[in-house]
Structures are given as C-alpha cells and as structure tokens.
Amino acid sequence: MLTEATGAAALASAVKPLLAVRGLEAWYGESHVLHGIDFDVAPGEVVTLLGRNGAGKTTTLKSIIGIMGKRKGSVSFDGTETINLPSRAIARLGIGFVPEERGIYSSLNVEENLLLPPQVKPGGLSLDQIFELFPNLKERLKSQGTKLSGGEQQMLAIGRILRTGANLLLLDEPTEGLAPVIIDQIGRTIAKLKREGFTIILVEQNFRFAATVADRHYVVEQGKVVDMIPNEALERNIDKLHGYLGV
Amino acid sequence: MFELLGIPPQALFGQVLLGLINGSFYAILSLGLAVIFGLLNIINFTHGAQYMMGAFVAWMCLNYLGINYWAALLLAPLIVGIVGVLIERFLISRLAHLDHLYGLLLTFGLALIIQGLFRNNYGSSGLPYQIPPQLAGGHNLGFMFLPNYRAWVVIASLVICLATWFVIEKTRLGAYLRAATENPTLTQAFGINVPLLVTLTYGFGVALAAFAGVLAAPIYSVNPNMGADLIIVVFAVVVIGGMGSIMGAIVTGFGLGLIEGVTKVFYPEASATVIFIIMVLVLLVKPAGLFGRPA
C-alpha cells in the first residue's frame, strides 16, 4: 500500500468495518475474473472502485450481492459471512444494489418499480423523502419505467433501494451516459446520503466525479485490488492514477 | 323469428353458445399456459393431463367421498395444484438452466405417464358426472334455449380469467411476478424469493387447468383422453394470443371459441381446422402473436 494510504487505512481499520472482503474470487462460466479481492468499508464511508474496463469492478459488486454463479473467499457484512448465501438473503441483510444498466423493468410503471424491492430493515426513506431527492419521479409515477430519460431511470434505480432500509448501497457507474447537470444532481444525492449515514460503494470510471463524493478509492486491476488512495491524496497521486486508468 | 343467410336463430345462437363454452375452456387453459410460460419459460405439455386430473379428482370426490360439485370446485384445483408444486420442485426445477426443449420433453413425457395411469385404472370410455341440482334446467330466451350450467361455465370462466388478469397486472404480487419474469436475477437481488414465486406460479397455472377440468366434468364425460384432445387447440390459442401474454390468452381464448362456433354454422367442414388456419396466418404476419411482444 502507498504511504499516503496508510493513515486512511489505519483510520478505516480503527472502526469495525461494515463490509470486509477477503480473497474474493469469481468466475463467469469457466473464465476466472476475480483473483483475490481484499478491501474494507467502514460504516458511513463512501469508497469507490476505480479501474480500467474489464478490471473486475462490476464483478466485485455482483459478487458482494451474490449474483455471480461461482465465487469463493470471504464477504462479511456487519459480522455475517455472506459468501454462501443466495442473493435474496444477502439483500435482506441490508445491501441495496443499483446495476450498471439500471435494471428498470419495462413491464412495471415508475410507481411499481419504486415499490418493488421489499423493505428489509427499518429506517428506509419514505416515498415523500425520495420525491424530495428526485422530484421528477413524482410527476411520472404512472409512466412505463423504461420510457423515462436516462437520468430519470438512474434516479428511479437509486430511489427504489433507498426505500428498503438497506444501509450499504452498491452503485455501479451511476453517472454513465448522463448529462453534466444530472451528474451534479446524482453527486449531491450521494453526498446527502452520506451525511445521513449510508455506506456506499461506488464503481466509477469518472474519477473526477468520484473525487467529489468519496472518502477513499480502491484501484482494481486484473481482478485484484492493487492500490488504495485516500481522497485527500488523490491530487498528489494523479499521475499514478492516470497510469492505472490508462488516461 | 329472423333468419341470417338462411340459418335459423336457434341454430346460430346454439353454436355461438357452444363456441363460448369451448372458448371458456380455451381461455382458462391458455391463461394457465401463458402464466407458466411467462415466468418459467416452460411449454407445459402436462397441462391437458392436469385438466383431466381436475375432472377426475371431482369425480373421485363425488363417488368415493360424497363431496359435491361446489366443494370439488375448490378442492380439485387445490389438490392438483399441490401435485403441480411437487412436479415443479422435484422435476422441472432441475431443468431450469437448460434449453426450453428439455422442459417440453419432460412435461410431454409426464402427460403420457399420467394419462396412461388413468387409462389403466378407469378405461377410456368415460365416466358420467351429474350437473349440480342448483344448475339443472335452463331458460328459454325466445331465440334460443340457454342451459343454466353452460351459462355458469361462461360466467365462472370470465370471472376467473379477469381476476387472474387483475392480480397479475394490478397488484403488488403481480408486480413481483412481472419483475421476476423480466429479470429474475435482479429481482432476487432485491430480496424477493424468485424460486418460491416460480413454484407457486406453476402450482397456480396447474390449479387453473384443474378448475377448468371440474367445470368440464358435467359437460363432457370424465375421460383420461379429454385433455389430450383439447391441448393441441389450446396451444394454437396461446400462439395466436402471444406466448406469455395474459390478456392475449383470455381474449383469443373466448374469441377463437366463438369463431369456431360460428364456422360450425356457416361452413362446418372447416370448424375443426379454422383455429389452425388462423394460427398459420398470425405466425406469418405477426410471429409474436396478436398480443405478444417481439423478443
């Protein structure tokens, strides 16, 4: 680990992590994609997984929520080992997942999409609180989910897991393909969620956006975490980060 | 009384009623198939045998246990639905990761086994089942005689079909079913028990077939082959409506029953094939079916 990273890592490890990932491996069919991912996320933290396309960031999120066919290692959420649990049981522990493609159901209207995930814990946001965050959704409740704009679909995908009471949110590229004004709105929402105590893992290609919301950044390369950069050290390590991301 | 193209009204409306009766069975059975196909992606060839089992369970309830028609109307779908749940849990679920064709072959084989067992025990000449006394007789409407039991079959079928449509399209449970049909992996990742939904949906689709079987028992004789004779037409109805389309199954079920009935009046030679002619035309013009969405 980097020298700059040591302080933040020590700080994060001082509190019991909400999520501890150790030696996580995963496969797509015969293809071995994750080769031993290790990282921690402390309660209330926002961390990002940065890396090139195909590095294994999305697969890491899918493995945490349990939708990869074959995985091994250890994923401990709030003290509960989840590696052998089905995804429905993992979600019910309090993990909410927003997939990269947003996962809006075309056969459901906006209201049905919003109300679909069951409440798994107390403390979820009410519909009014969600509409306060994303006013557009209130006006389009009866529209077919996939008829919304890309930005509105992203709001719907985030809004529906906020209802559930999940306290760890897995957001896979929430800004992908969105207009700058919508990216700002998503950024403000993530910052607000952080202030309200949500723990968030963010997969991002856009590290400039990630820098505005995250506490720490894990760099993923070829199915492994190869570096951890605290957000305050990001500027000092920008050249190295460019190297990691190939930009 | 007026005549239409030389056809007396009694003959015309008699066939229309017969078409509606057949349409009722087509609608309930194709609805069950559509529900099962929508969520499980399985073409349930056992459906005809499960319809026959519904009729037989009603017959057994009456003759062995003295349980009347009305109780059998609830009990038979429940019993046959539970058999369906066991079939899904122990057989069909094992093929879930394979191509549709394997499920089709499994359910086809099961249908042959079930029909063979019933034929072995009860023969194939058919067993009588009396119309319940409350629905005996009928009403003379002037232009036709309407038997009470047949009117009941049409009304009961409509109510069941519309109630099923309402549950699937307008309730939270229906939203779970539609979500699980569209993206089972993500739905499961929201904490919804998709395997349980799949099992219960199969059981419900089977229970619909058994319900149709009980309704049919007093009209047709209770016969091990009664489902096999009907199921090919029902598959044509499902294809015309659109595989997996709930409203498509209901509308085309009743509609094709009516078309078949009217064809019997005007051109009886074509009545057995008219549905298949329509199926061919629909497949050529709109392969996803009248109400289906292209893949």
Side-chain angles (χ1 to χ4, degrees), chain B residues 38 55 108 132 184 214 275 284:
Chain B
F108 183 61
V214 183
I275 288 181
L284 288 173

Side-chain angles (χ1 to χ4, degrees), chain A residues 65 67 86-88 91-92 95 97 99 102-108 112 115-118 120 160-161, chain B residues 169-172 174-176 178-180 182-195 293:
Chain A
I65 196 67
I67 58 177
S87 58
R88 63 176 184 277
R92 286 190 174 271
I95 302 181
F97 176 53
R102 292 158 194 150
I104 303 302
Y105 296 91
S106 63
S107 57
L108 273 58
E112 288 171 328
L115 297 176
L116 183 76
V120 296
R160 71 180 167 192
I161 58 164
Chain B
E169 296 295 334
K170 301 290 173 193
T171 67
R172 178 73 69 90
Y176 285 172
R178 281 177 283 141
E182 193 176 329
N183 190 341
T185 305
L186 182 62
T187 307
Q188 176 111 320
F190 286 147
I192 295 168
N193 193 337
V194 173
R293 275 188 274 185

Side-chain angles (χ1 to χ4, degrees), chain B residues 36 44 46 49-54 57 60 75-93 106-107 110-111 113-114 117-118 199-208 210:
Chain B
I36 290 171
N44 183 34
T46 320
Q50 287 154 342
Y51 160 79
M52 174 270 289
M53 285 168 75
V57 170
M60 289 174 196
L75 266 181
L78 186 68
I79 293 168
V80 181
I82 290 170
V83 173
V85 163
L86 295 175
I87 289 174
E88 198 286 328
R89 222 52 312 247
F90 294 107
L91 299 173
I92 293 174
S93 63
L106 172 73
T107 56
L110 276 175
I113 292 168
I114 294 169
L117 287 173
F118 275 86
T199 302
L200 293 180
T201 301
Y202 186 80
F204 177 71
V206 170
L208 278 178

Side-chain angles (χ1 to χ4, degrees), chain A residues 114-117 119 124-125 127 130 159-165:
Chain A
L114 205 49
L115 297 176
L116 183 76
Q119 285 180 303
L125 268 58
L127 279 182
I130 293 169
R160 71 180 167 192
I161 58 164
L162 298 180
R163 258 193 71 253
T164 63

Side-chain angles (χ1 to χ4, degrees), chain A residues 21-39:
Chain A
V21 179
R22 296 285 177 272
L24 180 62
E25 296 183 49
W27 287 258
Y28 282 110
E30 295 298 309
S31 176
H32 195 175
V33 183
L34 299 187
H35 299 272
I37 292 269
D38 298 285
F39 69 96

